[in-house]
């Protein structure tokens, strides 16, 4: 099992990566997914817009794009791209901390690999509920000063 956090052209401050990786592995295992390789890549709006245009033919900003590269069902190989710029904006809009918003998008990407969708209103509501459930469980399991703290430019 390999989970990595990388930067393209932006970086973030992630506290206690070991605990976050263990939490992701545990939660996804509960959903029937074994992580072979999961890579998170933190980037700018521009970087993610280019990916959105090139691979999905979408010409708009988004906070996250996930690519499932798995060859075997239940054994995940995937990449998740997260816009640090969107995390900052979403935190302001949603009146939450950058740390909580960062956790939300990290978990959101993982939940997509577990089969959760977000295009239809009912699906989006379930996705949001699962994000909240994972955030609460993670916060409960990890000491306060060691969690994700938010986005930073580099």
């Amino acid at each position: 099992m390999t989970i990595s956090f990388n930067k393209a052209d932006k970086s973030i401050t992630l506290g206690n990566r070991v605990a976050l990786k263990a939490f992701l592995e545990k939660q996804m295992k509960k959903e029937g997914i074994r992580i072979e390789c999961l890579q998170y890549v933190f980037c700018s709006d521009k970087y993610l817009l280019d990916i959105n245009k090139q691979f999905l033919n979408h010409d708009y900003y988004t906070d996250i794009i996930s690519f499932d590269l798995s060859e075997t069902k239940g054994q995940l190989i995937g990449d998740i791209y997260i816009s640090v710029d969107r995390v900052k904006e979403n935190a302001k809009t949603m009146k939450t901390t950058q740390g909580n918003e960062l956790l939300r998008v990290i978990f959101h990407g993982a939940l997509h690999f577990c089969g959760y969708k977000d295009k239809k209103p009912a699906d989006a509501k379930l996705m949001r509920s699962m994000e909240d459930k994972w955030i609460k469980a993670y916060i409960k399991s990890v000491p306060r000063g060691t969690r994700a703290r938010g986005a930073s430019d580099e």
Side-chain angles (χ1 to χ4, degrees):
M1 186 274 313
T2 304
I3 299 174
S4 61
F5 301 102
N6 305 293
K7 67 172 186 150
D9 61 346
K10 292 271 185 160
S11 63
I12 47 86
T13 303
L14 269 181
N16 206 339
R17 291 171 187 236
V18 172
L20 183 55
K21 290 175 183 182
F23 181 82
L24 283 163
E25 181 183 14
K26 178 181 150 199
Q27 293 303 112
M28 292 188 73
K29 197 176 206 178
K30 286 181 185 177
E31 294 284 336
I33 304 294
R34 189 169 145 263
I35 300 170
E36 293 288 324
C37 181
L38 176 56
Q39 175 179 236
Y40 286 88
V41 180
F42 299 98
C43 57
S44 65
D45 270 348
K46 182 187 176 330
Y47 191 96
L48 197 54
L49 178 61
D50 290 344
I51 290 173
N52 212 5
K53 287 177 182 178
Q54 182 179 352
F55 293 100
L56 303 175
N57 294 317
H58 296 159
D59 189 8
Y60 54 82
Y61 292 122
T62 187
D63 53 1
I64 185 169
I65 296 176
S66 54
F67 294 100
D68 189 341
L69 309 171
S70 307
E71 293 181 6
T72 305
K73 185 172 170 48
Q75 295 181 351
L76 176 66
I77 299 172
D79 292 338
I80 296 174
Y81 292 83
I82 295 174
S83 167
V84 172
D85 300 323
R86 288 298 95 215
V87 167
K88 288 179 179 182
E89 278 301 310
N90 290 348
K92 286 178 192 170
T93 304
M94 308 266 243
K95 295 181 175 44
T96 188
T97 66
Q98 287 181 16
N100 275 1
E101 181 60 14
L102 182 58
L103 285 174
R104 185 187 71 75
V105 295
I106 286 171
F107 296 155
H108 182 94
L111 285 161
H112 271 306
F113 293 138
C114 295
Y116 293 90
K117 310 272 187 240
D118 59 1
K119 296 298 179 210
K120 297 177 185 170
D123 293 340
K125 185 176 179 180
L126 177 59
M127 173 69 88
R128 181 58 62 150
S129 167
M130 290 302 295
E131 292 166 6
D132 291 343
K133 181 179 175 180
W134 281 25
I135 290 168
K136 285 177 188 158
Y138 179 72
I139 287 172
K140 189 176 177 181
S141 72
V142 178
R144 183 171 175 77
T146 64
R147 298 192 291 262
R149 290 184 288 282
S152 65
D153 292 319
E154 191 153 290

